[in-house]
Amino acid sequence: MVFVALALSLLLATSTVLGSPIARLHDPFPPTPKTPKGLLCNLPIPMVQKLLCPRQIANSDPAVITPLGTAHGVDDTANAVRFAVRYGTAARWEPSSVVTSWQLPNGNTNASSLPLACPQDGIDEDAMSEDCLSLLLYVPTSISPGSDVPTMMWIHGGSFTQGSATFPGLDGSNFAAATGSIVAVIQYRLGALGLMAPNGNMNLAVQDVMTAMNFLQTVLPSFGGSPSKITIAGQSSGATMIRALLATPSASSLFQSAILQSDPMDYGFLSAATQQTLQTYFNGLLPCSTTDVSCLNNISIDDLLGFTDNLSNTALTLDQSVGLGEPLRVVRDGSLITTPLDDTAPFPAVSKPIMVSNVKNEAGLSIYSDNAFPDSVAPTLYDEVVEGTFGDPDTSFVLANPNYAIPPSAQNNANTDARPTLEKLGTDQIWRCPGWTFARNWIGGGGNAYVGLYVVGASYPGNDAVSFCTESGIVCHQDDIEIVFGTVPSPTSQQATLTAEMQARYKAFMNTGNPNVAGHANWQLATASDVHALTLGGSGEVAAGGCDPSFFGDVVQYDYQKFDI
């Protein structure tokens, strides 16, 4: 729905990014890193670690014998042990492979050291490295080899260009202890290094995640985990990655179930033709031929990040199907990822149980940001934004839908602010409605799906840059992360109650494929006609509104339908 986004840019003097504000709805404020303090955290100086790196203080040195060697960990809390490990190796722009021995990340010798992030904008140079295929394993002290417990493997978000296993809220010790399960928080190659190989290798980042799962298959029994009980979970582009894995036949045996939080499914996967267009442009930025491996390997990280930014900022002018939220993303290449998992092709037979969730105000970060609409939006401008996003004839359908129409009584009211309606429209278009469509398709393919909507959250670090996201009752993109992990600082009673509920539901789902537990409301399975979306943090089911199957995906098409990708 960004096919007329260029025209809209002329309307918005406040916009600094090409395209419509609705099309821009995805990770506008990537999470603020839990900053590794450069190399200081790796220095064996107790006072430095105590002041700057509290997560890295080793209270003891738990050791576990694995088929790959001895794993050394640290007591992350009184109830869980953390193990940092390098799970894979990869030459630049080549597929990754599983390590053959247990290694601490980045050549560390101290088990309390955290892995460096994959190269990305926004963090210090000494906090990142291309040698970044690492994960953090959180193991409850209550389990032992032979326990056969499930594992949640978490895939972080960040629009495929940012994020790491050490970002805020992702300490898995509380979740592990509460659920009696193992938690693995992984990293994978980002940006051009993971998705734009000059030699034509596609989906390297997806293959990295599969490498991590293969690594876990080997080592989990040593920690008391079952290789056959891996649930993959992730938020935002991490959930997009999970959808890609669900569309990858060769990954199917590596996990049993999936949890997708806030996946912007409206975008779809990139087509191979679009990927080639982007690849040709990116290769033209490089100071080397695509066959000069030595030269390609010597391009600095700073230059590569600059080339990635150039491509991201130009992508929409090269091919409008990329959108603006995830212009670099996974590709339906026909070999690894073989199906779009959407309405553009027959849906395959499926069997894995899935959970699909959204937050109430997914679009709030974008709509209310300084780059879009920091001030009130008049009804006339709202109409122009809808026109610039959807074009004809869809604009008339959207404005006629009572869920997205400004009431006649408010049209000429000087105090009317259309941003709440615009935020609702963006949330439904990009996240909620395509997620519900996906769930209905999944049921039609033979699988089980549970759908939910968070109406209680915890403001994610960095979200306070948009005051709307700090208001009572608002749950913005990312505000579900700390609820699930149990890492909300000083939680309210509502937050603590929802955390306990969601961890109990996740525990049940990881063990049985069903998130229903005693003491909590019955969570009905989605059906082909009614997804039965449960209110998470509230009561009852969520009304379909514009996500009724007769509107989005039918009268008004999703991006993946519009561009047939």
Side-chain angles (χ1 to χ4, degrees):
M1 307 191 182
V2 294
F3 60 103
V4 289
L6 301 183
L8 183 61
S9 66
L10 301 177
L11 296 173
L12 304 176
T14 59
S15 177
T16 59
V17 183
L18 183 65
S20 97
I22 294 181
R24 198 162 52 236
L25 304 180
H26 185 219
D27 291 359
F29 293 95
T32 303
K34 182 174 287 184
T35 307
K37 301 293 192 288
L39 299 177
L40 293 178
C41 290
N42 295 329
L43 296 176
I45 304 174
M47 185 57 68
V48 169
Q49 293 188 337
K50 181 177 181 181
L51 293 176
L52 298 181
C53 319
R55 277 187 66 192
Q56 302 196 30
I57 301 172
N59 297 321
S60 63
D61 182 18
V64 174
I65 305 300
T66 80
L68 301 179
T70 302
H72 293 277
V74 294
D75 292 333
D76 199 48
T77 66
N79 298 312
V81 178
R82 185 187 76 228
F83 297 85
V85 62
R86 185 185 191 207
Y87 69 78
T89 62
R92 180 178 284 186
W93 285 313
E94 294 294 337
S96 56
S97 58
V98 179
V99 295
T100 56
S101 62
W102 187 277
Q103 307 168 36
L104 293 174
N106 308 114
N108 292 324
T109 57
N110 187 336
S112 67
S113 299
L114 297 175
L116 298 176
C118 293
Q120 59 192 275
D121 289 333
I123 62 175
D124 294 338
E125 184 177 350
D126 59 2
M128 60 186 176
S129 168
E130 276 194 75
D131 178 17
C132 63
L133 299 186
S134 301
L135 62 81
L136 293 172
L137 201 66
Y138 298 87
V139 182
T141 55
S142 60
I143 68 171
S144 58
S147 298
D148 208 34
V149 303
T151 295
M152 179 180 79
M153 190 185 85
W154 181 265
I155 306 172
H156 68 75
S159 293
F160 293 111
T161 58
Q162 293 191 297
S164 79
T166 57
F167 265 31
L170 300 185
D171 187 321
S173 57
N174 289 341
F175 184 97
T179 61
S181 64
I182 295 172
V183 177
V185 183
I186 72 164
Q187 301 182 162
Y188 50 95
R189 282 176 287 183
L190 302 170
L193 288 169
L195 295 168
M196 203 57 57
N199 60 12
N201 281 336
M202 287 186 274
N203 295 316
L204 292 175
V206 180
Q207 295 176 60
D208 291 345
V209 177
M210 293 173 63
T211 297
M213 287 193 285
N214 276 300
F215 173 84
L216 290 174
Q217 293 282 330
T218 299
V219 304
L220 281 177
S222 301
F223 296 91
S226 169
S228 64
K229 296 180 182 178
I230 295 176
T231 295
I232 52 176
Q235 186 268 349
S236 198
S237 57
T240 304
M241 179 70 81
I242 290 171
R243 184 159 39 92
L245 292 167
L246 290 169
T248 301
S250 57
S252 183
S253 64
L254 300 176
F255 65 101
Q256 69 164 357
S257 54
I259 302 173
L260 299 86
Q261 299 176 207
S262 297
D263 183 352
M265 296 189 190
D266 172 68
Y267 300 136
F269 303 140
L270 285 183
S271 69
T274 296
Q275 174 72 10
Q276 185 56 59
T277 297
L278 301 182
Q279 188 72 67
T280 298
Y281 180 85
F282 179 77
N283 288 354
L285 300 173
L286 303 177
C288 317
S289 74
T290 59
T291 58
D292 190 342
V293 176
S294 176
C295 176
L296 292 171
N297 286 339
N298 284 320
I299 300 174
S300 71
I301 292 297
D302 279 348
D303 284 344
L304 282 177
L305 292 176
F307 299 148
T308 303
D309 291 342
N310 184 319
L311 174 61
S312 296
N313 293 334
T314 308
L316 187 64
T317 66
L318 302 173
D319 188 324
Q320 291 182 345
S321 71
V322 302
L324 280 165
E326 289 177 350
L328 276 66
R329 59 184 187 271
V330 297
V331 184
R332 180 163 62 97
D333 56 7
S335 55
L336 189 71
I337 300 174
T338 59
T339 172
L341 280 187
D342 59 32
D343 291 335
T344 61
F347 207 83
V350 295
S351 59
K352 296 182 187 298
I354 64 170
M355 294 171 64
V356 179
S357 65
N358 295 109
V359 300
K360 186 176 69 161
N361 307 105
E362 298 276 15
L365 278 172
S366 294
I367 294 302
Y368 286 83
S369 76
D370 288 342
N371 287 333
F373 302 106
D375 302 312
S376 179
V377 169
T380 52
L381 181 55
Y382 172 77
D383 291 352
E384 292 174 344
V385 171
V386 173
E387 170 65 32
T389 299
F390 293 93
D392 293 325
D394 289 350
T395 293
S396 61
F397 301 140
V398 172
L399 295 179
N401 188 313
N403 295 285
Y404 313 118
I406 305 297
S409 60
Q411 285 284 350
N412 298 317
N413 188 329
N415 295 321
T416 296
D417 183 0
R419 286 182 298 177
T421 307
L422 190 59
E423 187 276 321
K424 182 180 180 182
L425 174 58
T427 291
D428 284 358
Q429 176 202 345
I430 304 296
W431 287 278
R432 190 170 73 102
C433 297
W436 287 23
T437 297
F438 176 73
R440 288 191 292 265
N441 286 337
W442 194 262
I443 293 296
N448 286 346
Y450 295 88
V451 179
L453 181 76
Y454 286 85
V455 297
V456 169
S459 188
Y460 195 76
N463 281 8
D464 57 0
V466 176
S467 60
F468 171 79
C469 292
T470 66
E471 296 176 8
S472 177
I474 299 301
V475 188
C476 283
H477 194 63
Q478 307 174 130
D479 287 352
D480 50 343
I481 294 175
E482 293 181 333
I483 293 291
V484 169
F485 274 81
T487 50
V488 181
S490 303
T492 65
S493 59
Q494 263 193 321
Q495 291 169 334
T497 297
L498 182 57
T499 289
E501 175 183 345
M502 295 314 298
Q503 290 184 343
R505 289 190 183 280
Y506 275 41
K507 176 181 180 179
F509 182 76
M510 289 190 295
N511 278 288
T512 68
N514 185 328
N516 282 296
V517 288
H520 296 289
N522 181 50
W523 195 340
Q524 290 194 59
L525 273 170
T527 70
S529 59
D530 187 343
V531 300
H532 294 293
L534 185 66
T535 303
L536 304 175
S539 61
E541 293 185 353
V542 182
C547 295
D548 184 283
S550 66
F551 190 68
F552 271 117
D554 184 10
V555 172
V556 176
Q557 293 186 320
Y558 299 121
D559 272 12
Y560 63 74
Q561 294 170 305
K562 181 74 69 174
F563 297 105
D564 193 24
I565 54 176

